[in-house]
């Protein structure tokens, strides 16, 4: 354990308030602990995160997506590659993710580079989804203007005929993995003296520091 981490941990022990964040060597260990605690505490939609991307004019855009899994230190979500977020990620493959767990007064802010996951992994997850969701992935031209909802339903009717048995994964649907370069853990504290712990990736290790609230 580095001197820096030891100092941060000792500093943690100086306070009687047991809600101060105890730094771990890996931010993924801390994230997993917090995620499990969010689930145990019945946070509504624990796996929902706000994903922000930026377009070619530097204009940001945010929306909620579900975290599917944490794989080899990357955060995986699924979407339509041709959607607004997909277009923006193809031009600027950097994104921000934000988790908010209000019951625990916790926020996790993550920034990093995004890339498509393997076709095999997208195929495997798509195959595990309910048929209605699979047909929906074909029927929805996500983020494009829809003149009439009937257009969407008639596409579903046609797709039900086209794919009578199994539904293949549409080429425009799949997973992205965000590989973080920075993570910030925020723990609400009394008197607004909140605790913030920031991990920054330097070469292959993580530098961890506290920030003013
Ligand atoms: C709780 C919740 C979960 C969502 N999960 C996803 C998801 O996992 N993938 C996805 O593409 N859209 C998801 N959406 C819809 C997105 O917020 C968004 O409307 C859609 O992806 C289109 O975004 P875009 O036009 O910015 O690309 C979710 C919305 C909510 C409210």
């Amino acid at each position: 354990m580095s001197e820096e981490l030891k100092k941060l941990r000792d500093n943690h022990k100086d306070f009687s308030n047991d809600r101060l964040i105890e730094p771990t060597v890996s931010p993924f260990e801390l994230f997993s602990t917090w995620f499990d605690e969010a689930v145990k505490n019945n946070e509504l939609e624990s796996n929902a995160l706000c994903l922000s991307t930026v377009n070619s004019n530097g204009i940001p855009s945010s929306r909620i997506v579900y975290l599917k899994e944490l794989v080899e230190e990357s955060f995986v979500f699924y979407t339509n590659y041709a959607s607004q977020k997909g277009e923006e990620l193809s031009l600027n493959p950097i994104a921000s993710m934000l988790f908010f767990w209000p019951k625990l007064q916790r926020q996790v802010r993550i920034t990093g580079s995004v890339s498509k996951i393997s076709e095999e992994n997208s195929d495997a997850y798509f195959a595990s989804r309910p048929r209605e969701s699979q047909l929906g992935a074909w029927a929805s031209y996500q983020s494009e203007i829809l003149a009439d909802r009937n257009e969407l339903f008639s596409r579903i009717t046609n797709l039900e005929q086209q794919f009578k048995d199994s539904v293949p994964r549409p080429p425009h649907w799949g997973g992205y993995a965000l590989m973080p370069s920075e993570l910030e853990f925020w723990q609400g504290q009394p008197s607004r003296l909140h605790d913030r712990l920031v991990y920054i990736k330097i070469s292959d290790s993580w530098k961890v520091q506290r920030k003013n609230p």
Side-chain angles (χ1 to χ4, degrees), residues 45 48 61 63-66 78-80 83-86 142-143:
E45 309 263 37
S61 182
R63 79 289 285 158
I64 303 292
V65 294
Y66 285 128
Y78 285 85
T79 192
N80 184 316
S83 64
Q84 181 180 336
K85 71 183 94 47
Q142 197 176 55
S143 314

Side-chain angles (χ1 to χ4, degrees), residues 24-179:
T24 50
V25 176
S26 154
F28 303 102
E29 191 187 330
L30 184 53
F31 181 86
S32 298
T33 304
W34 277 27
F35 185 81
D36 291 346
E37 287 173 359
V39 174
K40 265 188 226 131
N41 280 276
N42 298 316
E43 290 281 11
L44 210 58
E45 309 263 37
S46 319
N47 59 336
L49 65 102
C50 177
L51 175 82
S52 300
T53 52
V54 174
N55 75 9
S56 53
N57 294 321
I59 299 172
S61 182
S62 302
R63 79 289 285 158
I64 303 292
V65 294
Y66 285 128
L67 174 73
K68 176 64 181 57
E69 56 194 344
L70 190 53
V71 184
E72 287 166 13
E73 311 205 332
S74 70
F75 293 82
V76 175
F77 63 95
Y78 285 85
T79 192
N80 184 316
Y81 291 142
S83 64
Q84 181 180 336
K85 71 183 94 47
E87 292 288 325
E88 293 182 356
L89 287 171
S90 71
L91 294 169
N92 177 16
I94 308 286
S96 166
M97 287 182 159
L98 186 80
F99 291 86
F100 174 44
W101 296 307
K103 285 189 191 170
L104 293 165
Q105 278 299 288
R106 284 176 175 171
Q107 164 178 266
V108 183
R109 180 157 62 166
I110 304 168
T111 314
S113 58
V114 180
S115 53
K116 288 181 185 171
I117 65 165
S118 72
E119 302 231 338
E120 294 72 37
N121 286 348
S122 287
D123 285 343
Y125 178 51
F126 187 80
S128 76
R129 305 192 82 214
R131 180 174 165 83
E132 301 75 58
S133 311
Q134 293 177 333
L135 293 172
W138 279 100
S140 168
Y141 305 159
Q142 197 176 55
S143 314
E144 284 185 21
I145 298 294
L146 181 64
D148 181 346
R149 293 272 300 169
N150 287 331
E151 199 183 302
L152 190 61
F153 296 123
S154 75
R155 261 186 249 143
I156 292 277
T157 310
N158 292 339
L159 286 159
E160 271 165 352
Q161 294 307 311
Q162 190 182 341
F163 301 121
K164 285 220 165 69
D165 302 321
S166 61
V167 185
R169 176 178 63 88
H172 58 261
W173 189 96
Y176 282 109
L178 181 143
M179 183 78 73

